[in-house]
Amino acid sequence: MTSQLHTVEKIGGTSMSNYEAVRDNIIIGDRKKDDLYQRIFVVSAYGGVTNELLEHKKTGEPGVYALFADAESDWAWGDDLTKLVKFLTDINGELFVDPMLKQQADQFITDRIEGVRGCLIDLQRLCSYGQFQLEEHLLTVREMLAGIGEAHSAFNTALKLQQEGINARFVDLTGWRDNELLPLDEKLKQAFDAVDLTRELPIVTGYAQCKEGLMRTFDRGYSEMTFSRVAVITNAREAVIHKEYHLSSADPNIVGADKVVPLGRTNYDVADQLANLGMEAIHPRAGKGLRQNEIPLRVKNTFEPEHTGTLITGDYVSEKPRVEIIAGAKGIFAIEVFDQDMQGEPGYDRRILEVLSRFKVRFVSKDTNANTITHYVDSTLKHVKRVVKALEETFPNAELNTRKVALVSAIGSDMKVPGILSRSVKALADEEISVLAVHQCMRQVDIQFVVDEDNYEKAIVALHGVLIEPHNHEYAIVAA
């Protein structure tokens, strides 16, 4: 299948909240009217909206979904839904000066929310009978609520662009009042068959209702999967992600904006390592489709449109071995299982993984020796306690320890640099940072250091200072 002329571009929530920047830097830029098309935009909800709909991503503070799922909250979710109407119509008020357009936008989102309210009331009433269990329907409820955020932002953006003379088309994949539930790829084919990319600019919801249930696998990373499959199904020339920052050599808020450099080029292997640490480059499953179909991915900064960003391809390897990025994750729990009867007993590790899988706890890294296996998990304390209790029941003779730690990684497409490990450990030691564990695979695309959580930022600064900053001029050439 030959590549098409168009690109598929995803706009993140923080960027979406700044309509003028999206319009001026992404959608229009320096293009003439005829050059505005041959692009598909997949949009996230406005910043903070999905937190209100589901739960706060970082603090866990309950949104409408979490209150509905909590049997003890009764009608608290209904009050939260009412507050949500005001929150979303206030966003409309900031976006639309024309009262007729604001009324149209308010009517659209109010109808959606009131439709959901009616559905949830009916479901709650149904589940008051013993034959129906609320837990069986919660994933559907979560998906229905999540779709509100993307429908709101996509509808508004299409409406606003239409007002400004651009032939934008709202493409609603949320399944609102659809008669049939299709597989994702089939749904996308059906949606885009009717679109003429030469003269229409599709604004597409980042959430897509489908038979597979995107949130079952990706939870809040669902928009990346929608974006990826749209690119694959329409056979895009390039996939582009617009974020509020560059994909840089480290977090500029930690290291300093004057010391980091945009990556410029990297590969999907590096993107996988970043996703494993929770960094939002792209979900590995979403990246898989792009990689297999040889569709390059570009990550751009919304607020620096003249910069070409970072191009991610399957075959890229840096011209000379080097570290490309220092990244990490805080709030990681180390779950250590020590059992001197472990040695020679096959399947011990598998049984630990079965417990983690049962509680849907994701591990970021692991290490093992003759009698100890440690998994570093990205989860809440509540879930970790449940896992530990189950492990104690499974391995009554084992000694279990948990500790909150941070992971800091040096990552690159080719890191076969002699002495890199010793230089890294020395840089950490010079800052009086104790290394609790080290992981390095033979493929040498990353080195992970486990450190005390209090030393997280200090470790990133130290490693960036010794592994990347001395070579910043080389990165500038790659980025150019």
Side-chain angles (χ1 to χ4, degrees):
M1 187 163 63
T2 56
S3 180
Q4 302 297 317
L5 298 170
H6 71 280
T7 57
V8 173
E9 311 193 18
K10 178 178 178 287
I11 308 176
T14 306
S15 298
M16 283 298 295
S17 296
N18 189 334
Y19 172 77
E20 284 75 18
V22 166
R23 179 195 61 202
D24 298 341
N25 297 346
I26 299 174
I27 292 174
I28 299 178
D30 57 3
R31 294 175 180 84
K32 292 176 182 168
K33 191 162 186 180
D34 291 344
D35 298 330
L36 290 173
Y37 302 100
Q38 292 290 6
R39 292 178 296 161
I40 297 171
F41 287 100
V42 178
V43 301
S44 296
Y46 295 118
V49 169
T50 309
N51 286 341
E52 297 294 331
L53 284 161
L54 304 178
E55 67 284 313
H56 197 287
K57 197 172 185 178
K58 291 181 178 170
T59 67
E61 184 181 344
V64 177
Y65 168 79
L67 291 170
F68 183 79
D70 180 5
E72 295 173 9
S73 71
D74 290 329
W75 296 100
W77 64 267
D79 297 335
D80 222 43
L81 211 51
T82 303
K83 287 181 201 164
L84 185 74
V85 174
K86 183 177 186 317
F87 178 44
L88 299 188
T89 52
D90 282 351
I91 291 173
N92 293 351
E94 291 171 17
L95 188 61
F96 296 103
V97 177
D98 184 326
M100 294 294 288
L101 289 176
K102 182 183 183 308
Q103 185 184 7
Q104 198 177 337
D106 287 353
Q107 186 70 50
F108 172 82
I109 198 60
T110 303
D111 286 352
R112 286 283 169 109
I113 291 175
E114 293 311 319
V116 168
R117 189 196 301 273
C119 181
L120 295 185
I121 288 170
D122 289 345
L123 180 59
Q124 207 167 42
R125 188 183 298 125
L126 185 69
C127 292
S128 65
Y129 297 92
Q131 290 91 338
F132 299 93
Q133 299 302 312
L134 182 61
E135 289 75 18
E136 294 172 9
H137 304 283
L138 284 179
L139 188 61
T140 305
V141 170
R142 188 169 177 82
E143 297 215 359
M144 183 170 64
L145 284 165
I148 290 175
E150 271 81 11
H152 177 230
S153 62
F155 179 85
N156 281 1
T157 304
L159 185 63
K160 187 80 174 163
L161 290 170
Q162 287 162 5
Q163 177 211 7
E164 296 176 359
I166 295 169
N167 191 25
R169 176 172 178 157
F170 171 49
V171 179
D172 186 2
L173 301 175
T174 64
W176 187 250
R177 302 195 187 283
D178 278 2
N179 295 322
E180 58 180 336
L181 195 60
L182 297 171
L184 178 60
D185 286 2
E186 200 176 318
K187 186 184 187 88
L188 296 178
K189 280 176 190 164
Q190 198 176 87
F192 288 99
D193 273 350
V195 177
D196 182 355
L197 292 176
T198 63
R199 59 182 193 85
E200 291 180 301
L201 193 71
I203 310 297
V204 186
T205 57
Y207 168 73
Q209 188 198 33
C210 58
K211 213 171 237 179
E212 297 91 330
L214 286 185
M215 295 192 84
R216 186 178 290 114
T217 307
F218 302 98
D219 198 42
R220 287 176 66 163
Y222 55 81
S223 63
E224 290 182 6
M225 195 60 192
T226 304
F227 157 72
S228 167
R229 293 316 297 171
V230 169
V232 170
I233 292 302
T234 62
N235 198 25
R237 170 174 59 82
E238 187 173 275
V240 185
I241 296 178
H242 298 276
K243 291 184 170 293
E244 67 275 17
Y245 49 78
H246 280 296
L247 188 56
S248 299
S249 57
D251 184 342
N253 296 318
I254 295 174
V255 174
D258 58 326
K259 292 179 179 173
V260 302
V261 285
L263 294 193
R265 288 295 308 271
T266 192
N267 62 25
Y268 281 112
D269 192 350
V270 168
D272 288 348
Q273 309 308 324
L274 294 175
N276 184 50
L277 294 168
M279 284 186 67
E280 298 172 351
I282 189 164
H283 194 287
R285 289 274 295 276
K288 177 182 174 184
L290 298 177
R291 174 173 48 79
Q292 287 180 338
N293 288 273
E294 297 182 352
I295 298 172
L297 170 67
R298 192 179 298 276
V299 181
K300 293 194 69 176
N301 183 337
T302 300
F303 305 100
E304 205 177 314
E306 67 284 354
H307 198 290
T308 55
T310 295
L311 186 66
I312 301 172
T313 55
D315 57 357
Y316 175 78
V317 178
S318 56
E319 284 187 15
K320 64 186 241 181
R322 59 187 171 89
V323 176
E324 295 173 16
I325 186 167
I326 306 296
K330 283 202 298 186
I332 300 294
F333 286 92
I335 303 176
E336 182 185 79
V337 181
F338 166 67
D339 187 350
Q340 290 192 289
D341 296 331
M342 183 189 300
Q343 191 175 17
E345 186 181 330
Y348 203 103
D349 192 16
R350 176 179 50 78
R351 289 159 69 198
I352 296 176
L353 290 173
E354 283 170 356
V355 172
L356 293 176
S357 180
R358 193 195 320 160
F359 291 97
K360 296 181 179 174
V361 169
R362 184 181 78 89
F363 73 91
V364 180
S365 190
K366 66 186 281 189
D367 54 50
T368 179
N369 67 15
N371 53 27
T372 308
I373 300 173
T374 307
H375 285 86
Y376 300 90
V377 304
D378 179 16
S379 189
T380 62
L381 180 59
K382 182 169 79 173
H383 279 93
V384 169
K385 284 179 176 176
R386 288 175 181 168
V387 166
V388 169
K389 186 171 183 294
L391 288 172
E392 285 171 341
E393 290 168 0
T394 307
F395 306 107
N397 298 323
E399 183 182 310
L400 272 84
N401 291 297
T402 60
R403 177 172 179 171
K404 207 170 187 185
V405 297
L407 282 179
V408 177
S409 287
I411 304 169
S413 52
D414 178 5
M415 287 180 22
K416 297 182 179 76
V417 181
I420 189 173
L421 183 57
S422 61
R423 281 175 24 227
S424 302
V425 172
K426 183 180 184 303
L428 296 173
D430 288 347
E431 293 298 322
E432 298 182 347
I433 299 170
S434 294
V435 177
L436 306 176
V438 181
H439 311 125
Q440 182 179 23
C441 295
M442 288 173 65
R443 287 183 54 245
Q444 295 188 44
V445 293
D446 75 327
I447 307 174
Q448 292 183 339
F449 299 92
V450 182
V451 298
D452 192 88
E453 195 176 39
D454 292 341
N455 290 324
Y456 173 71
E457 295 191 356
K458 203 158 66 159
I460 286 180
V461 171
L463 291 175
H464 192 271
V466 74
L467 299 177
I468 290 182
E469 285 169 38
H471 311 286
N472 267 2
H473 65 285
E474 295 170 15
Y475 289 86
I477 292 167
V478 172

